[in-house]
Amino acid sequence: MIDLFWVTVLLLIAIPLLAAAAWKQLKSRTFIWYVLSAVLCLQVILGVLAIRVTHPVNLLQMLGLLGFGRWTFALLPFSGWIMAMLALIGLITTLYTAPLKETVPGSGLLMATIVAVQYLFSMFLVVSQNAIPFLIAWEGMSLCAYAYILTDHRARKARHAAFVTLAVSELGFLALILAFIMSASPTGSMDLLSMSQVIMHFPIGYQVTIFLLGFFGFGVKSGVLPVQMWMPRAYEVTPNHLSAILAGGLLNLGLFGIITFYSLFTTLPTGLGVFLIILGSLAVFLGAMYALIETRIRMILAFSSIENVGFMVISLGLAIAFAASGNRYFASVALVAMMFQLTSHALAKALAFLTTGGIFRRFGILSIDQLGGLWSQAKGLASAFLLACLSLAAVAPFSGFTAEWLTLQSMLQVYRSLSSLEQFLVVLAGVLTALGAAMSMSAFLRLFAHTMTGKLRQPLVLTLPATSLGASGVLGVTLLSIVLAWIGLYPTGILPAIGTIVTSLPPHIMVVNAMIPNVFPNPLGNQTLVQLGGGWLSFLPALGFVIQPAAGVSSIAPTYILWWFFCFMALALLIKKISRLHRHGFATRSVVAWNGGKPISSSSYQYTASAFSNPHRMFFATLLRFKVRRTVLVGTPDAPTVIHVETSVRPWLQSAIYAKSIRTLRSWAKLFLRVQHGYLWGYVFTALVAVLLMLWSTKII
């Protein structure tokens, strides 16, 4: 395993050298992407092997810089899980990118080099056991993400999105530095294990401060509320195949950082857990609401990421609250839900962006008010897009449903542990979460229906010649679709691996064996399943397809749900067949729909996505500050012939909401510039005031 790690590292280092040697040879571009695919395949294997380890596998120890202890790099089950998932998404993306033409943004040799460097930093990030190399790898990975967003650097929107992303990332990086410095041992060692031993002796308020600094510092990369302002703009301007890595891969590195930082704390107060539950529920609600009213596919996927990350924050808050109140079992169940949500969202979001890229290259537009009828023109692409939408919408029996169901089941158990006030707050958060989940389902139903059904809507601003994904692209999308469908229909297939990871995290107990009841070889152990027909499947050798968080808690079996889908489908086909056999008894008459007096209907008369979401805009008009402006172009206000309608909403989840604060900071910055700009006495005066303030604050503390 150690040899495989270093072989992968050396190959990732060699890719930029190969790219530099083949810089002027056009045919070598595809070769470099395929080489990167092979290296990432090795990384998938390495990650899968690391999941099975029972103790850390040391890779390297070296003397750290500036006396900050020794730097240790080791493979753990959680690092292997993240590594395998990131590498799988990278493998699919590189197979997808290799056959693209040179003219497609983000498919050249330079971007292949940046992707290789990013995966190199990511490998060292997940195996670092010391804060210094961890932060170095984190900053390198963040700069590669900045390069993804700045691919089309000639566009002003891309430059603005990249600047906002970089600025927010650096603020988060500053928070991480403060969190790690506050956690350092008296000897100066910043080893994660020694930091954990130091933190446990701090006062509880100091521990909460450190945790929140780390949570929001890492949360910047994941789009945690309220530091998500970079995400919608960034996803909109980043090429789709790079967005698959950005949303499906790098977002999870932020969550990896949050969970790793959480593991440094033995206990945290219940109030902190309730705070995270409320914060996550707000993210679920707001993300789903904006996804439901948005018409640009990339922006819908961006707001969906905010919503899904909100579910993970809720699970983390539940784990903290349950552990603090002594209910260690459901604390681990909540962490299982978080890990399952992380996996499901990563794969589904990567598939959604890759299929969106295929749609854009074929039709040249990504507005669901203009698209339509794609199912009849690209059934394979539409099928993969449907699978991604169903998973992100949490429709049973797909993976998103299992993840959100586990989270909601954990929320329903707060009566076992929390106080009355905390229960009341969690119930309010649960209402917001349920409402957000319902709106998310509507958003993806709207997304799929208005892009894949009906006819291509007008006006069509651009039509590109149909381009194939290529054999490797089709292979990659198909492989990702199979993996995503598998974890949805058979979630117990990956739960043992997730259970191994969760056992290594506080409160350090194994719950998966109890969550997968042995119902098929011994169906009498669960009378409810026997009554539902579970005894019929006693001949199956597997442990079962059922997930049951605890005794007295509702169970779920995605395969049973799929079975009932097939039963209802067969029933519908039977009814259709009977109606054909008795045509005279069920005779119907078809007429042309009235079209305002016009004899011929056109695609422009179809129900639009904006019309679908208008009731939601009006219902949440106060929150959104929804405004409608109507301008009469031809005619009079009483009898208009041609009007122009423009709508606007409050961009709560985007960087524009912080514009006023930024302008205020700039005005204060100008004041300091006037004091010190161009004059030596100004610099000396500013430095003296800063030193005096620091001494004064130290005296007060």
Side-chain angles (χ1 to χ4, degrees):
M1 188 184 301
I2 297 175
D3 294 338
L4 181 58
F5 177 87
W6 290 112
V7 167
T8 307
V9 168
L10 291 174
L11 289 174
L12 286 173
I13 295 174
I15 286 176
L17 301 178
L18 288 172
W23 194 262
K24 295 184 179 180
Q25 301 177 20
L26 183 62
K27 294 182 179 179
S28 298
R29 182 193 65 83
T30 301
F31 172 73
I32 296 297
W33 281 105
Y34 282 132
V35 170
L36 184 54
S37 300
V39 176
L40 292 177
C41 186
L42 293 178
Q43 192 173 338
V44 172
I45 297 172
L46 174 65
V48 171
L49 292 175
I51 296 171
R52 301 172 61 88
V53 301
T54 56
H55 59 278
V57 178
N58 290 325
L59 301 170
L60 174 67
Q61 279 193 347
M62 58 183 292
L63 185 63
L65 299 176
L66 303 175
F68 284 108
R70 299 187 65 83
W71 289 3
T72 304
F73 300 91
L75 275 171
L76 301 168
F78 188 30
S79 61
W81 183 264
I82 296 295
M83 187 183 298
M85 189 162 52
L86 263 65
L88 176 62
I89 293 171
L91 170 63
I92 303 303
T93 303
T94 51
L95 290 174
Y96 178 95
T97 309
L100 297 180
K101 295 181 179 180
E102 184 74 21
T103 54
V104 176
S107 62
L109 284 174
L110 178 60
M111 190 52 65
T113 301
I114 293 174
V115 172
V117 172
Q118 178 258 305
Y119 271 92
L120 180 65
F121 278 122
S122 298
M123 285 190 71
F124 279 102
L125 174 67
V126 298
V127 299
S128 297
Q129 302 301 307
N130 186 282
I132 301 299
F134 191 98
L135 291 173
I136 293 173
W138 178 267
E139 185 68 2
M141 179 269 298
S142 300
L143 292 176
C144 291
Y146 170 76
Y148 293 167
I149 301 168
L150 201 58
T151 300
D152 188 11
H153 58 88
R154 294 182 180 85
R156 186 177 183 274
K157 289 177 63 176
R159 295 196 301 270
H160 178 265
F163 172 76
V164 172
T165 302
L166 186 63
V168 177
S169 296
E170 293 309 309
L171 288 175
F173 187 64
L174 177 61
L176 292 179
I177 292 175
L178 291 174
F180 281 121
I181 289 176
M182 293 170 67
S183 308
S185 67
T187 61
S189 174
M190 300 191 72
D191 181 80
L192 297 183
L193 181 60
S194 62
M195 289 169 59
S196 177
Q197 295 172 350
V198 170
I199 289 174
M200 64 188 303
H201 295 99
F202 288 151
I204 195 66
Y206 199 76
Q207 290 189 39
V208 170
T209 302
I210 295 173
F211 176 82
L212 290 177
L213 283 172
F215 175 78
F216 287 111
F218 287 116
V220 165
K221 192 62 62 185
S222 298
V224 169
L225 200 71
V227 290
Q228 79 305 319
M229 73 289 291
W230 64 273
M231 187 177 287
R233 295 290 185 186
Y235 284 12
E236 187 181 17
V237 299
T238 306
N240 290 287
H241 57 284
L242 297 177
S243 292
I245 299 177
L246 192 65
L250 300 188
L251 181 146
N252 289 323
L253 287 177
L255 295 167
F256 169 80
I258 290 174
I259 298 173
T260 301
F261 202 70
Y262 160 75
S263 66
L264 302 181
F265 297 81
T266 53
T267 57
L268 287 166
T270 308
L272 176 62
V274 174
F275 167 74
L276 293 182
I277 293 170
I278 296 173
L279 186 68
S281 65
L282 286 172
V284 170
F285 172 76
L286 292 174
M289 181 180 66
Y290 274 92
L292 185 55
I293 66 174
E294 185 57 61
T295 59
R296 293 163 290 181
I297 297 181
R298 292 175 183 172
M299 296 287 279
I300 293 173
L301 297 178
F303 291 128
S304 167
S305 290
I306 296 172
E307 180 248 345
N308 278 270
V309 170
F311 265 103
M312 297 180 225
V313 172
I314 290 173
S315 297
L316 180 61
L318 287 168
I320 293 173
F322 281 129
S325 56
N327 194 337
R328 299 167 66 237
Y329 184 92
F330 269 103
S332 292
V333 171
L335 288 176
V336 170
M338 182 179 184
M339 294 299 302
F340 202 96
Q341 182 84 26
L342 185 150
T343 306
S344 170
H345 172 259
L347 299 178
K349 193 54 64 70
L351 182 60
F353 270 112
L354 292 179
T355 50
T356 298
I359 292 171
F360 180 71
R361 287 203 309 279
R362 181 154 188 173
F363 297 96
I365 50 176
L366 285 178
S367 171
I368 56 178
D369 274 339
Q370 297 174 357
L371 287 169
L374 272 62
W375 184 272
S376 60
Q377 303 185 45
K379 284 187 171 58
L381 194 66
S383 299
F385 187 69
L386 174 62
L387 176 61
C389 288
L390 291 174
S391 299
L392 292 171
V395 175
F398 300 95
S399 58
F401 174 77
T402 303
E404 294 186 10
W405 175 83
L406 278 171
T407 302
L408 293 172
Q409 285 295 315
S410 300
M411 293 184 77
L412 292 175
Q413 306 309 313
V414 295
Y415 71 91
R416 299 174 183 265
S417 307
L418 305 186
S419 65
S420 299
L421 177 60
E422 291 166 342
Q423 290 181 35
F424 175 73
L425 293 175
V426 174
V427 167
L428 291 181
V431 173
L432 273 182
T433 303
L435 182 58
M439 288 194 295
S440 176
M441 182 179 295
S442 297
F444 281 98
L445 171 65
R446 165 180 172 262
L447 172 60
F448 181 81
H450 287 85
T451 54
M452 298 299 167
T453 62
K455 299 178 181 180
L456 193 64
R457 292 167 174 84
Q458 298 296 329
L460 183 61
V461 295
L462 178 64
T463 302
L464 298 180
T467 55
S468 173
L469 296 179
S472 63
V474 172
L475 173 64
V477 171
T478 303
L479 177 62
L480 187 56
S481 301
I482 291 173
V483 173
L484 183 60
W486 174 68
I487 67 172
L489 299 178
Y490 186 51
T492 53
I494 65 168
L495 278 181
I498 291 177
T500 302
I501 297 167
V502 170
T503 306
S504 65
L505 302 173
H508 303 291
I509 63 170
M510 171 65 77
V511 296
V512 171
N513 292 337
M515 290 178 64
I516 310 176
N518 190 357
V519 295
F520 290 155
N522 183 21
L524 296 179
N526 192 315
Q527 292 297 326
T528 303
L529 292 174
V530 172
Q531 294 173 6
L532 294 175
W536 296 352
L537 302 175
S538 59
F539 62 87
L540 291 178
L543 287 178
F545 300 93
V546 178
I547 302 175
Q548 182 173 324
V553 180
S554 62
S555 302
I556 178 180
T559 47
Y560 287 175
I561 298 173
L562 183 64
W563 168 255
W564 283 110
F565 279 173
F566 285 132
C567 289
F568 287 125
M569 186 186 303
L571 179 62
L573 292 175
L574 179 62
I575 293 174
K576 182 178 180 181
K577 184 70 174 178
I578 293 174
S579 64
R580 287 182 177 178
L581 293 175
H582 300 80
R583 183 168 297 178
H584 297 291
F586 299 92
T588 57
R589 182 170 62 93
S590 298
V591 296
V592 178
W594 184 71
N595 195 28
K598 297 184 179 181
I600 301 176
S601 62
S602 65
S603 58
S604 61
Y605 284 87
Q606 295 179 106
Y607 194 51
T608 65
S610 294
F612 178 90
S613 58
N614 268 338
H616 302 87
R617 284 191 181 93
M618 291 184 286
F619 186 80
F620 297 111
T622 304
L623 181 61
L624 292 169
R625 294 193 181 179
F626 178 56
K627 296 180 180 179
V628 181
R629 299 180 183 87
R630 296 179 177 87
T631 305
V632 178
L633 300 179
V634 180
T636 64
D638 295 331
T641 305
V642 179
I643 62 173
H644 174 72
V645 180
E646 183 181 0
T647 61
S648 63
V649 296
R650 181 75 168 178
W652 290 107
L653 298 183
Q654 300 182 37
S655 57
I657 193 66
Y658 297 93
K660 187 175 181 180
S661 301
I662 293 172
R663 285 194 295 267
T664 304
L665 288 175
R666 283 181 177 176
S667 64
W668 281 97
K670 289 179 181 179
L671 176 62
F672 286 101
L673 287 175
R674 292 193 188 99
V675 171
Q676 61 172 318
H677 180 64
Y679 298 97
L680 179 60
W681 66 265
Y683 290 101
V684 174
F685 175 76
T686 306
L688 178 61
V689 171
V691 171
L692 290 175
L693 287 174
M694 291 176 63
L695 292 174
W696 178 69
S697 62
T698 304
K699 182 178 180 180
I700 291 179
I701 293 174

